[in-house]
Amino acid sequence: MITRSYRHPLNSSRLEPGEPLLEVSDIRLRFGGITALDEVSLTVRQGTVHAVIGPNGAGKSSLLNCISGLYRPQDGTIVVHTPAGAHDLTRKKPHRIARLGVARSFQNIELFRHLTVLENLMLGRHIHMRNRLTRSLVWFGPARRQEIAHRELVEEVIDLLQIQSVRHKPVGALAYGFQKRVELGRALCMQPALLLLDEPMAGMNAEEKEDMARFVLDAHELAGVTAVLIEHDMNVVMDISDRVSVLDFGRLIADGAPEQVSNDPDVAKAYLGEEVRA
Amino acid sequence: MAATSTGIHHRSYASELALRHTSAEKFRLVLVVLAVLAVPFVVSPYWLTIANQIGIAVIGAVGLNILVGYTGQISLGQGGFLAVGAYSSAILHVRGDLPIPLSILLATLTTAVIGAFFGIPALRLKGLYLAIATLASQEIILFAVRNWDAVTGGRDAISIPRMELGRFVFRQDFHWYWVILPIAVLAVVSARNLFRTGLGRSFMAVRDHDIAASAMGVDVTRTKVLAFAVSSGFAGLAGALTAHYTGIVTWERFTLEESILYLAIIIVGGLGSIAGTVYGAIFMITLPALITRVGQDMQGTLPGIAEKLPAVQVVVFGLVIVLFLIFEPRGLARIWQRLKDYVRFWPFRY
């Protein structure tokens, strides 16, 4: 239910729902002798919540790190579609990829510990700000106007995530659940075209998970943000995602609608193991 | 904005972004301004010299804090950058015949460029490794200064004619006070401004988490190089002012000891605090002067103390840093903050 109208759209992708937004094709990532990702291909469509699941060490986080440019796959392409055209991300630096509207959160909270919640969220606005040294040193004029202008969107995200009370607290001092929310908020402040969430509900109790799932759905439904979600909790995945991709030992073993994937024998095998035949 | 007994309530983002909110804060600022304006009229010439040295140290230390405290890049090269500023301004003025304000400005920019160059190792190195690399830049710069006879005059000092404005000659500390003070204030205020804008935040983001910063779209490479440039620019300005204020430039003034003094200033003052940098500069420049003064006064009762003074100064210098690291790593800025809170909450503990 919409309880308040938001003036700023949080989704910056202008594609029609259902169009391919991100296309990962045959990527292969090796660390020495270990193959973390082996010919993985998947397509994320505009307007969906796309879950990536799999047992520990299956390569889920590696996949996200490849998309956001922290890892460079040896083979394959990762293409993100914007109205301006298609961009291959595999040879781009992370900050260039962020400028294309790919925002992310991290598995182990990676916030700017010494900064306040507000400053962390304002850093989410970095790609939309024009920073000039002389203007910053002077403050009065363009720099101040810019701070105020971006503050409005940040406050909407603060409202959306219900973190008003901790706005001015340094994030290092916040409780775990709040930190996770701030991390989601920082990514939302980028007005992303694509939101990558690496286990946003890890280490939470049922109630906190419920809240977090609500926030992800709010971002998705109210703001129309396309999200790629890594998650271990199968109930959450089945509840909130439109499409599920399953990785096991770096290979894509299933890809489809949630109910289809949950009945897949390969998936059951990956999660539960195989019966030993004598 | 309304400041009531329930707290400070802002009605606009603009008022929240202001640096001073309550009338008490503004009143305190007025007191500080009055005190600073009164200094040259009440203190002795000896302490006025110290005040001028503090002013210059504030500029250089603010620069170093931008780099170390805010961007998290350790630097032992501040002395070298001060030397670049001092020598370039002196050379531009004496040999290039440029007016002093222009040569100071150009020296500031030159030092910023050279600082950016010496910041390149920071793209690969962190922490202690970077400290060693910047130590190398300190030594390289001083080596160049000592041996590049054609430009720097080698080991000989460059003497600079006194600054003149029309027929007015800036001869005394009293005159220089009014030159150094506004520049120092400008340096402090602009640094404070930097860290309430997006650019300054990107510096702090690189300090706290460079990978997350790059995922937010911060160009880490560019940010680090820019931080080195800005920091060195402040150092260059401080160096150039030193050159014209003392009227003489020698390499001996800019050794590693100077770099360490600046590092001590920002540690004692508070890493990542502009106000703390000012407190730190006042503290670390006044302390040795105070020891000297006390030593001279005790000459009558304790004969022979004068020749032991340098040793006492070194010991106290080391002791102060160690004590701060143990008891208040966040420096004088934090102590001042606690003091204010104590007064505010009195008679309650918290």
Side-chain angles (χ1 to χ4, degrees):
Chain A
M1 190 181 70
I2 299 173
T3 53
R4 149 186 175 172
S5 61
Y6 293 91
R7 291 203 292 135
H8 299 272
L10 292 181
N11 168 40
S12 67
S13 177
R14 297 281 162 269
L15 300 176
E16 290 297 315
E19 280 189 55
L21 172 63
L22 176 81
E23 284 178 300
V24 178
S25 329
D26 297 324
I27 60 164
R28 186 177 305 193
L29 176 74
R30 279 188 302 269
F31 297 110
I34 298 165
T35 304
L37 292 171
D38 195 6
E39 298 197 346
V40 173
S41 303
L42 53 91
T43 303
V44 177
R45 293 181 185 279
Q46 172 70 38
T48 58
V49 173
H50 192 128
V52 177
I53 61 169
N56 287 326
K60 306 180 297 291
S61 290
S62 295
L63 177 66
L64 237 58
N65 286 344
C66 284
I67 298 172
S68 62
L70 301 178
Y71 293 164
R72 290 198 171 176
Q74 278 84 6
D75 285 315
T77 57
I78 300 170
V79 175
V80 70
H81 294 277
T82 66
H87 305 267
D88 185 6
L89 307 183
T90 46
R91 292 290 170 264
K92 281 198 164 55
K93 290 196 163 180
H95 70 266
R96 294 261 166 230
I97 294 174
R99 283 186 181 278
L100 291 173
V102 179
R104 70 167 294 170
S105 73
F106 293 85
Q107 184 174 3
N108 307 309
I109 301 165
E110 316 282 10
L111 288 165
F112 307 114
R113 287 183 54 85
H114 298 99
L115 303 187
T116 64
V117 170
L118 197 58
E119 285 171 314
N120 269 275
L121 296 181
M122 285 295 276
L123 268 158
R125 300 299 301 155
H126 187 82
I127 57 171
H128 300 283
M129 296 175 102
R130 288 166 57 81
N131 290 314
R132 292 280 169 73
L133 180 61
T134 43
R135 287 179 182 178
S136 288
L137 295 176
V138 172
W139 172 250
F140 289 101
R144 181 163 172 267
R145 269 203 304 279
Q146 177 170 261
E147 289 297 311
I148 293 170
H150 288 273
R151 179 72 184 274
E152 283 180 20
L153 183 140
V154 166
E155 288 293 338
E156 288 195 356
V157 171
I158 288 177
D159 283 353
L160 181 76
L161 299 180
Q162 297 166 14
I163 46 179
Q164 297 92 336
S165 58
V166 294
R167 202 187 267 123
H168 291 293
K169 293 231 165 71
V171 289
L174 293 184
Y176 180 82
F178 271 115
Q179 293 196 7
K180 278 282 193 194
R181 267 193 238 179
V182 174
E183 223 190 354
L184 172 65
R186 189 178 61 176
L188 284 176
C189 283
M190 289 173 71
Q191 288 182 301
L194 177 65
L195 180 62
L196 309 173
L197 300 172
D198 197 347
E199 302 202 20
M201 293 149 211
M204 289 183 162
N205 63 30
E207 201 178 333
E208 288 169 329
K209 271 184 188 171
E210 203 173 277
D211 284 346
M212 200 64 181
R214 190 68 246 157
F215 295 136
V216 173
L217 284 179
D218 276 352
H220 175 242
E221 282 167 15
L222 296 183
V225 178
T226 311
V228 174
L229 173 76
I230 293 182
E231 190 45 59
H232 271 297
D233 188 318
M234 290 304 273
N235 295 328
V236 172
V237 170
M238 294 304 152
D239 279 352
I240 72 174
S241 49
D242 303 310
R243 199 176 172 85
V244 180
S245 299
V246 188
L247 288 174
D248 188 29
F249 291 110
R251 306 181 68 90
L252 188 73
I253 59 169
D255 189 17
E259 46 290 354
Q260 189 187 338
V261 166
S262 60
N263 296 326
D264 190 302
D266 283 341
V267 176
K269 200 157 64 184
Y271 270 87
L272 303 173
E274 212 169 344
E275 220 174 303
V276 182
R277 298 208 182 116
Chain B
M1 187 200 77
T4 69
S5 57
T6 58
I8 302 165
H9 305 286
H10 296 283
R11 303 300 300 268
S12 72
Y13 297 136
S15 91
E16 195 181 331
L17 286 166
L19 292 178
R20 304 266 177 269
H21 300 301
T22 61
S23 46
E25 282 174 328
K26 285 172 188 154
F27 180 66
R28 212 161 53 213
L29 184 66
V30 171
L31 285 186
V32 171
V33 169
L34 289 177
V36 167
L37 292 178
V39 161
F41 299 102
V42 292
V43 303
S44 66
Y46 174 78
W47 287 106
L48 197 52
T49 313
I50 302 296
N52 282 338
Q53 286 172 7
I54 290 172
I56 291 173
V58 163
I59 300 168
V62 162
L64 189 63
N65 215 343
I66 290 174
L67 187 64
V68 180
Y70 285 96
T71 321
Q73 311 297 308
I74 297 175
S75 170
L76 285 169
Q78 199 72 351
F81 298 131
L82 287 162
V84 173
Y87 272 91
S88 15
S89 191
I91 293 164
L92 286 168
H93 177 57
V94 175
R95 307 235 182 103
D97 228 12
L98 293 176
I100 288 181
L102 186 61
S103 55
I104 290 179
L105 184 68
L106 288 177
T108 305
L109 297 176
T110 310
T111 317
V113 172
I114 290 177
F117 172 75
F118 280 107
I120 290 174
L123 306 180
R124 287 275 168 187
L125 303 175
K126 280 182 187 172
L128 284 175
Y129 302 95
L130 179 62
I132 297 299
T134 54
L135 179 62
S137 67
Q138 158 86 31
E139 295 305 328
I140 290 167
I141 290 171
L142 276 206
F143 179 83
V145 164
R146 281 199 304 267
N147 294 288
W148 198 3
D149 294 1
V151 176
T152 63
R155 285 163 189 276
D156 297 333
I158 302 178
S159 62
I160 309 169
R162 288 265 155 239
M163 185 160 87
E164 292 170 15
L165 195 74
R167 265 180 296 163
F168 183 78
V169 185
F170 288 79
R171 201 178 301 106
Q172 303 166 7
D173 278 312
F174 182 79
H175 305 146
W176 272 99
Y177 186 83
W178 301 110
V179 176
I180 294 172
L181 176 69
I183 299 178
V185 169
L186 217 59
V188 169
V189 171
S190 57
R192 189 71 184 76
N193 285 343
L194 176 62
F195 292 104
R196 45 181 178 158
T197 64
L199 189 64
R201 269 197 306 273
S202 68
F203 285 18
M204 295 187 275
V206 168
R207 170 194 70 192
D208 280 4
H209 207 299
D210 51 358
I211 293 173
S214 68
M216 292 298 112
V218 176
D219 185 344
V220 175
T221 306
R222 188 173 161 275
T223 306
K224 282 183 180 175
V225 170
L226 186 64
F228 264 92
V230 173
S231 165
S232 316
F234 278 79
L237 178 60
L241 282 173
T242 313
H244 295 286
Y245 166 59
T246 55
I248 192 159
V249 183
T250 67
W251 65 274
E252 285 141 326
R253 186 181 273 279
F254 305 109
T255 53
L256 182 62
E257 265 177 55
E258 191 75 354
S259 296
I260 291 175
L261 170 68
Y262 274 91
L263 219 44
I265 288 176
I266 61 171
I267 289 172
V268 167
L271 289 171
S273 162
I274 298 292
T277 314
V278 179
Y279 311 147
I282 294 172
F283 189 84
M284 291 309 287
I285 304 286
T286 312
L287 191 64
L290 207 61
I291 293 172
T292 310
R293 258 296 145 101
V294 171
Q296 281 165 358
D297 291 347
M298 284 163 64
Q299 188 68 26
T301 47
L302 274 174
I305 187 118
E307 58 261 34
K308 296 200 181 65
L309 274 181
V312 173
Q313 282 179 353
V314 171
V315 170
V316 171
F317 183 85
L319 195 65
V320 164
I321 295 176
V322 170
L323 290 179
F324 264 97
L325 286 177
I326 295 174
F327 291 108
E328 190 46 276
R330 289 160 75 186
L332 290 165
R334 180 76 190 129
I335 292 176
W336 175 234
Q337 184 62 43
R338 278 214 307 260
L339 213 64
K340 279 193 290 193
D341 287 344
Y342 181 81
V343 172
R344 195 151 59 94
F345 292 125
W346 193 87
F348 304 108
R349 292 289 298 282
Y350 47 82

